Amino acid sequence: MRVIAHLQARADAVYDETYHHKLRGRLWDALDGTAYGSLHDENRPKGFTYSNPFPPGDMREGDEKTLLVASPHEELLAHVAADLKLDRELNIGEMPFRVESVNGLATDVGEPGTSGTIETGTGVLVRIPPWRFEEYGIDTDHDEAEFWRPEHTMEPFRNQIENNLDKKHGLFCPEYQPGPSAVDGDLFKGADLIKTFSIPVTVTQGQRETWVLSKWRFDYTVRDDHHRRHLNLALDTGIGERNSLGFGFVNITEKDGRRPGTEERIDA
């Protein structure tokens, strides 16, 4: 599920590519005092992710942008929606917005047999742990987790994505249902790397690091109900790591017989 917020710029502003930490802060403020607020200090996937304010680019006063917040928890999204409606001023660093409207949005990859394409709206963070360097033939001069790059081949990328989604499946889906690694077949039937890039990221207040990220286009055909659940989980939680910083957010850009963006709206 998702919340879609339509924003209007309150002043001319330069687009801040390092918006992640400041937008995250507003979302955690919305969850403060709720059953989800304690997740902030837990070392586990948080159960939500969000888009960049899009379309990206510098803005003039009055320009419109859109923000999407996704989660498998309907109640979490209700708290976010209520906060955005109660306080319409949304300042993401030096980008000042007014929240014009907030609605719910149901997303689904489709019934078994449906084909489509999912694209990463924000960069995907995949780090290869040092204990798997030998298995993947990675020769480095350090013993810290290695950011995935194309020269590491697709195998570690696929494995880390699947392992990460397995963990989220264990947290957010019924225990009796099989996770991605417990079924036959790959999560995606095709993967096109759009680009890799690096940006400075404020991990916590006062701690800034440079991370290597990648953007992708993934093709899928839904095999069965289990595969459908796994793909929808990726839509709700993002793929890869640090989704609560907004990384790994994905959108359906093509689906059999349906234009993207025509998902059913619901009250939020």
Side-chain angles (χ1 to χ4, degrees):
M1 291 188 61
R2 298 183 169 198
V3 162
I4 179 170
H6 294 284
L7 315 176
Q8 186 174 77
R10 294 190 292 107
D12 298 356
V14 174
Y15 194 83
D16 183 359
E17 299 284 355
T18 60
Y19 62 88
H20 310 82
H21 177 64
K22 290 161 183 171
L23 181 51
R24 175 178 65 173
R26 173 60 187 271
L27 297 179
W28 278 120
D29 286 345
L31 300 175
D32 187 32
T34 75
Y36 302 97
S38 61
L39 294 175
H40 182 277
D41 298 322
E42 295 185 9
N43 184 25
R44 46 165 277 186
K46 311 302 185 189
F48 70 88
T49 189
Y50 46 89
S51 72
N52 57 328
F54 64 91
D58 297 348
M59 62 201 80
R60 305 293 298 269
E61 181 180 355
D63 283 356
E64 296 178 349
K65 303 280 186 185
T66 301
L67 173 68
L68 291 165
V69 183
S71 175
H73 299 301
E74 183 176 352
E75 187 179 2
L76 184 153
L77 292 175
H79 288 304
V80 171
D83 182 80
L84 293 175
K85 288 180 176 178
L86 181 66
D87 181 1
R88 300 277 178 165
E89 188 172 315
L90 176 59
N91 298 316
I92 308 174
E94 300 300 319
M95 300 188 292
F97 296 104
R98 173 178 168 76
V99 179
E100 293 297 311
S101 65
V102 182
N103 292 98
L105 193 66
T107 55
D108 189 343
V109 293
E111 297 180 353
T114 304
S115 293
T117 301
I118 288 174
E119 290 192 22
T120 57
T122 57
V124 178
L125 173 65
V126 167
R127 290 177 292 189
I128 305 166
W131 57 86
R132 305 201 72 168
F133 286 175
E134 183 175 356
E135 174 185 353
Y136 297 135
I138 296 173
D139 183 16
T140 68
D141 57 359
H142 63 78
D143 57 1
E144 299 175 346
E146 173 83 352
F147 291 101
W148 182 87
R149 296 177 173 84
E151 58 265 33
H152 296 137
T153 76
M154 281 299 294
E155 183 184 6
F157 182 86
R158 277 195 299 264
N159 288 345
Q160 293 304 120
I161 290 291
E162 184 175 88
N163 292 344
N164 179 273
L165 197 61
D166 260 336
K167 184 183 297 183
K168 294 168 185 167
H169 192 276
L171 289 169
F172 308 127
C173 295
E175 186 177 347
Y176 62 87
Q177 294 179 326
S181 65
V183 299
D184 293 331
D186 294 328
L187 188 63
F188 302 111
K189 71 175 185 181
D192 292 323
L193 175 63
I194 299 172
K195 68 175 180 178
T196 57
F197 61 103
S198 60
I199 60 170
V201 177
T202 300
V203 182
T204 59
Q205 193 67 37
Q207 181 186 355
R208 205 166 216 212
E209 300 176 358
T210 299
W211 288 0
V212 179
L213 308 165
S214 53
K215 286 194 174 184
W216 295 83
R217 187 178 298 108
F218 300 112
D219 297 323
Y220 69 86
T221 296
V222 183
R223 292 189 300 274
D224 52 30
D225 287 337
H226 292 313
H227 189 212
R228 180 183 189 178
R229 183 179 64 258
H230 301 156
L231 290 169
N232 282 334
L233 180 64
L235 288 174
D236 287 344
T237 62
I239 62 173
E241 304 175 55
R242 297 300 184 103
N243 308 120
S244 65
L245 265 170
F247 296 111
F249 184 86
V250 291
N251 277 316
I252 299 172
T253 55
E254 293 181 25
K255 191 162 77 172
D256 286 350
R258 175 178 284 191
R259 291 184 297 106
T262 58
E263 293 85 355
E264 180 184 1
R265 285 197 177 193
I266 55 179
D267 292 335

